[in-house]
Amino acid sequence: AQSVSQHNHHVILSEAASLELGCNYSYGGTVNLFWYVQYPGQHLQLLLKYFSGDPLVKGIKGFEAEFIKSKFSFNLRKPSVQWSDTAEYFCAANNAGNMLTFGGGTRLMVKP
Amino acid sequence: ETGVTQTPRHLVMGMTNKKSLKCEQHLGHNAMYWYKQSAKKPLELMFVYNFKEQTENNSVPSRFSPECPNSSHLFLHLHTLQPEDSALYLCASSQVPRDSPLHFGNGTRLTVT
């Protein structure tokens, strides 16, 4: 079965630290990849997406993610986190035309 | 403002009650979804409607009954729920095809007592 795994359930960082959240998927063939973010008390919103082309994708708020096909990975990165990045982050994937499968989420807490 | 509005925000119901969750989208999308978000579990897709037609029912128990009267409105009718059904129920919408990003509502926090 297709699945998406996020290995870190909770991450705690200090401001200005670098961030990398892991995401692995188990899809074969062409895959679309997404990162969604849910800030405290707010709705899930799209952070960035990869469909094709440059495997390094830039998203909003300084986030980026790199698609590494050989590793079935789509890790999320940010060079320097801020307190306002405290949120839960969800990786998701699908094959073209099929339903999204979400990972379990990673709760990030950034200490001021 | 997300463009996807869910009501109520919070709901407490007994196991013998009947209630409904409502979702409305103002984005002109033609696909709508119900997801369940439980603690420590991945987001679970429950139902999908494309152009008002149900296209996915992800093995959801019959005590959950969706209704999509038009492309802008989606309901989830609840009856004889169990305590383990307590969760955050999220509505989302997107354009077709399904590769389009989802736009989520704020969710309804449901507690079954």
Side-chain angles (χ1 to χ4, degrees):
Chain A
Q2 296 150 337
S3 66
V4 177
S5 300
Q6 293 180 242
H7 314 296
N8 314 103
H9 299 295
H10 291 89
V11 173
I12 301 174
L13 295 173
S14 298
E15 276 195 315
S18 65
L19 170 71
E20 181 160 2
L21 302 182
C23 173
N24 289 91
Y25 60 92
S26 65
Y27 286 73
T30 302
V31 63
N32 302 315
L33 295 156
F34 305 79
W35 276 98
Y36 284 84
V37 60
Q38 188 172 26
Y39 296 103
Q42 295 189 31
H43 62 281
L44 271 160
Q45 55 188 291
L46 183 69
L47 199 54
L48 49 80
K49 63 183 186 290
Y50 170 80
F51 284 2
S52 64
D54 189 344
L56 186 62
V57 179
K58 304 284 187 184
I60 60 172
K61 303 186 180 186
F63 285 90
E64 65 179 30
E66 185 175 11
F67 169 54
I68 302 180
K69 189 174 181 179
S70 61
K71 294 184 178 181
F72 295 89
S73 69
F74 189 58
N75 292 356
L76 181 70
R77 299 195 294 249
K78 186 170 183 177
S80 175
V81 294
Q82 301 172 311
W83 176 77
S84 58
D85 293 323
T86 294
E88 188 160 15
Y89 293 82
F90 294 88
C91 183
N94 71 347
N95 291 125
N98 290 322
M99 287 297 104
L100 273 180
T101 297
F102 282 84
T106 298
R107 287 188 186 273
L108 171 66
M109 178 182 293
V110 180
K111 297 187 291 184
Chain B
E1 180 57 48
T2 75
V4 180
T5 305
Q6 288 187 245
T7 54
R9 292 294 302 273
H10 300 273
L11 178 62
V12 179
M13 60 186 290
M15 289 190 284
T16 58
N17 292 158
K18 290 184 180 180
K19 297 285 184 183
S20 295
L21 310 185
K22 179 181 176 182
C23 176
E24 183 174 0
Q25 59 97 358
H26 312 278
L27 301 169
H29 291 163
N30 38 40
M32 296 188 77
Y33 311 77
W34 280 116
Y35 280 87
K36 178 182 178 183
Q37 188 176 21
S38 305
K40 301 180 181 179
K41 293 175 74 174
L43 272 166
E44 301 170 61
L45 178 65
M46 299 175 72
F47 301 104
V48 181
Y49 279 82
N50 284 343
F51 297 99
K52 303 187 298 178
E53 299 297 322
Q54 187 181 133
T55 57
E56 297 273 343
N57 177 340
N58 220 20
S59 303
V60 181
S62 60
R63 57 186 183 268
F64 295 91
S65 174
E67 178 190 0
C68 188
N70 56 61
S71 293
S72 299
H73 293 86
L74 184 65
F75 296 90
L76 187 63
H77 303 300
L78 316 171
H79 64 99
T80 60
L81 294 191
Q82 305 298 311
E84 60 265 28
D85 296 322
S86 298
L88 181 68
Y89 289 84
L90 293 167
C91 175
S93 69
S94 75
Q95 292 287 13
V96 176
R98 296 169 178 174
D99 301 345
S100 301
L102 298 174
H103 293 252
F104 286 88
N106 284 313
T108 295
R109 175 71 62 185
L110 174 67
T111 303
V112 181
T113 60

